[in-house]
Each structure stands twice: as C-alpha cells, then as structure tokens.
Amino acid sequence: MATTEKHDRRMATMTFDSVYPHYLNKVERKGRTKEELHRVIEWLTGFNEQKQQELIAEKATFETFFQEAQLNQQAHLITGMICGYRIEDIENPLTQKVRYLDKLVDELAKGRKMEKILRME
C-alpha cells in the first residue's frame, strides 16, 4: 500500500518524545504498565529503558530512532490494520517500522498476552 509522500515525511520528522507519552497513557489507561511498554519497545528496537530515555531527551526523530534500532528479526510477523493501513502492505520502510511500533502498543493496550505481542507463540 502506498502512503503519500507527505505522510511518510511526517512519520520521519515526528519525534519519539512527542509520541511516547501517548503510548504510555494509552497502555496505563488499560491497566498495563510502563515496564511492559518498555519491554515491547525493547523487543522491537533493541533499545533498553536507558536508551529509550536518552532518545526521548535527545528529541530523536523517528527517522533517527529507527536508524539506530536493531529491528527484531520477528518484526515481519507484525501484521494487520493500524490507522487505516495494512502494515504488511506499507511500501515505505520507515513508515512501516513506525506502524509496527503503533501496532505493538495497540496490542498491549488491548490486553493481549505478552507472548503473543512478542511473537513467541
């Protein structure tokens, strides 16, 4: 699925620190924890909590965020719809990675088991 150039540019320039509080609020409202959110982010990116906090402090864009990330080899198993887009059909690699993260946060907030979120099953 082709996203627009404007959409892809917006994904690249959006900062992790601007989105992180929304992720945290979303999962905590649904009874999940900050530690679970950090675990999900670490699974996808390889960033431990300290590195996540550094990226927040640096106001890293998603472009920088994912350039530095070591994407999990199982990330390609993240499929489905998010924000009106079928993740596996997104053509722009950076936009797809951002949507992977969005999807994992959604699954966490919806109460899915951690083993399923982390693609262990």
Side-chain angles (χ1 to χ4, degrees):
M1 170 181 273
T3 53
T4 66
E5 184 178 327
K6 180 180 176 183
H7 179 266
D8 293 336
R9 196 171 341 106
R10 189 171 60 91
M11 290 290 112
T13 59
M14 193 179 321
T15 60
F16 181 60
D17 79 296
S18 70
V19 178
Y20 176 82
H22 299 288
Y23 288 158
L24 182 58
N25 188 26
K26 182 176 192 170
V27 300
E28 287 183 337
R29 258 192 350 257
K30 299 293 185 167
R32 301 306 286 259
T33 66
K34 181 178 188 177
E35 291 74 24
E36 288 174 310
L37 174 61
H38 290 173
R39 184 172 174 204
V40 165
I41 295 170
E42 184 171 359
W43 177 87
L44 179 64
T45 64
F47 298 144
N48 63 22
E49 184 176 350
Q50 180 182 344
K51 181 63 176 176
Q52 291 173 41
Q53 294 307 313
E54 287 173 15
L55 291 164
I56 289 169
E58 292 170 9
K59 298 189 180 306
T61 63
F62 271 120
E63 183 171 31
T64 301
F65 182 87
F66 281 107
Q67 281 176 348
E68 294 183 21
Q70 294 293 318
L71 207 64
N72 189 293
Q73 293 179 348
Q74 301 300 314
H76 70 279
L77 299 174
I78 303 168
T79 60
M81 296 291 287
I82 189 78
C83 300
Y85 295 97
R86 179 153 294 286
I87 294 172
E88 57 271 30
D89 295 339
I90 295 174
E91 294 172 1
N92 181 285
L94 176 60
T95 300
Q96 186 177 51
K97 291 171 188 172
V98 173
R99 295 306 184 189
Y100 282 160
L101 182 55
D102 290 343
K103 182 69 171 177
L104 294 177
V105 171
D106 267 8
E107 290 176 357
L108 184 62
K110 288 180 180 175
R112 200 165 194 206
K113 288 184 196 176
M114 192 60 79
E115 295 78 26
K116 289 190 181 232
I117 296 170
L118 304 182
R119 303 326 195 242
M120 295 175 168
E121 292 185 348

